[in-house]
Amino acid sequence: METMLISRSLIIIASILLLMAGLARAAALPVLVLNDTNAPPFTAPDQSGFLDAVAGEAFRRAGVELKLVKLPAERALHNANAGIGDGDLARIAGLEAQYPNLVRVPEKLLDWSFTAFSKDASIPARWDVIRQRQVGHIKGWKIYEQQLAGAPHVISVDDAAQLFRLLELDRIEVALHARWLGDALVRQQDIKGVHALDPPLATREMFIYLHKRHAALVPRLAEALRAIKAEGLYDRLYREKVLSLTGPAAK
């Protein structure tokens, strides 16, 4: 009798554990994997960046968990369009025309200052001047590809480290990047004598793109981003994670 009671108790315990495991699995959010080409202070390996926080919260409010994977910019777009992964974290508007399988979340993530960096601080920060210089940019940054089409001396590289290494070695006169990311990399690698040229060549709104199979999620993400801004959470995170490290500038 005692043996039977023990067996029944073990069966009940096992059933409860299975039920709890099932509930835990049901409670876990589905995961979306987005390609990311950013760096600190916007995204970081420990997920402490500004976009880690803002986009992560928006996705949670929309009912999914966000996972970011680092890829070169050009491959990131091609993979996202091909459905390898679920989308791309931060891109300029209008890429739907070139990548028709991508759907843009209409509420912006942030404004991006596209900026020229050079050892020669006297170079005017204008497209017509930059086009005549020995200039480098990262493959897949569409605004630079469009503006430099047909320019005589253009080098494209896979990542920012390569780009600024070329500038440091005087292989190029001008490196085109994003202001905050370029400033952070110059400090991190202790590159001497490199200046951001003012004003920025362009300022553009940056957006999340999802593969079209997730189109139903787009309105929920847009609503979540709007709510994060309205609550003041967006501005607080920006002050804590960007301005505290880089000094004042427009979002």
Side-chain angles (χ1 to χ4, degrees):
M1 178 66 70
E2 184 177 350
T3 302
M4 291 178 63
L5 289 173
I6 292 173
S7 298
R8 288 176 182 172
S9 297
L10 290 174
I11 291 171
I12 292 171
I13 291 170
S15 299
I16 292 172
L17 290 174
L18 287 172
L19 177 61
M20 291 175 65
L23 290 173
R25 284 194 298 272
L29 297 176
V31 177
L32 263 62
V33 178
L34 267 62
N35 301 324
D36 172 40
T37 61
N38 295 283
F42 294 101
T43 60
D46 63 358
Q47 300 181 344
S48 62
F50 171 68
L51 293 183
D52 289 313
V54 169
E57 177 64 17
F59 273 76
R60 280 190 294 274
R61 294 187 186 198
V64 294
E65 180 181 347
L66 173 63
K67 179 180 179 182
L68 299 177
V69 296
K70 296 291 183 182
L71 283 178
E74 185 70 17
R75 191 188 342 151
L77 277 175
H78 283 294
N79 282 7
N81 189 62
I84 303 171
D86 300 301
D88 200 287
L89 179 63
R91 297 284 182 163
I92 60 173
L95 294 185
E96 308 94 316
Q98 188 174 352
Y99 300 93
N101 291 330
L102 297 182
V103 181
R104 179 167 56 94
V105 176
E107 183 67 24
K108 72 175 180 180
L109 272 179
L110 75 167
D111 292 333
W112 219 239
S113 293
F114 292 92
T115 300
F117 292 81
S118 180
K119 291 182 177 179
D120 184 354
S122 69
I123 296 176
R126 303 199 317 264
W127 287 118
D128 62 326
V129 174
I130 299 300
R131 283 176 54 85
Q132 302 308 314
R133 301 284 180 151
Q134 292 178 317
V135 58
H137 69 89
I138 298 172
K139 296 175 186 175
W141 284 48
K142 297 305 175 183
I143 186 171
Y144 291 140
E145 291 178 353
Q146 293 161 5
Q147 291 291 338
L148 296 175
H153 309 293
V154 179
I155 296 176
S156 59
V157 298
D158 287 329
D159 59 50
Q162 295 177 42
L163 179 67
F164 280 84
R165 182 62 174 162
L166 291 178
L167 183 59
E168 189 176 20
L169 295 174
D170 297 318
R171 295 278 304 280
I172 56 176
E173 296 176 87
V174 178
L176 302 181
H177 200 36
R179 179 62 185 263
W180 290 138
L181 296 179
D183 284 343
L185 189 144
V186 167
R187 286 194 302 273
Q188 178 186 2
Q189 297 192 2
D190 195 26
I191 299 173
K192 304 298 185 184
V194 169
H195 312 275
L197 304 181
D198 289 320
L201 293 167
T203 300
R204 295 287 186 272
E205 296 179 335
M206 305 296 285
F207 298 89
I208 297 169
Y209 282 83
L210 298 182
H211 190 269
K212 63 183 181 182
R213 66 174 173 268
H214 301 299
L217 187 62
V218 166
R220 301 208 303 270
L221 274 175
E223 181 180 355
L225 284 170
R226 285 192 290 269
I228 289 169
K229 294 173 183 178
E231 295 163 9
L233 176 58
Y234 183 99
D235 285 340
R236 178 172 64 79
L237 289 170
Y238 193 83
R239 289 192 300 270
E240 291 175 359
K241 296 180 177 292
V242 180
L243 294 186
S244 64
L245 300 175
T246 56
K251 290 195 291 293

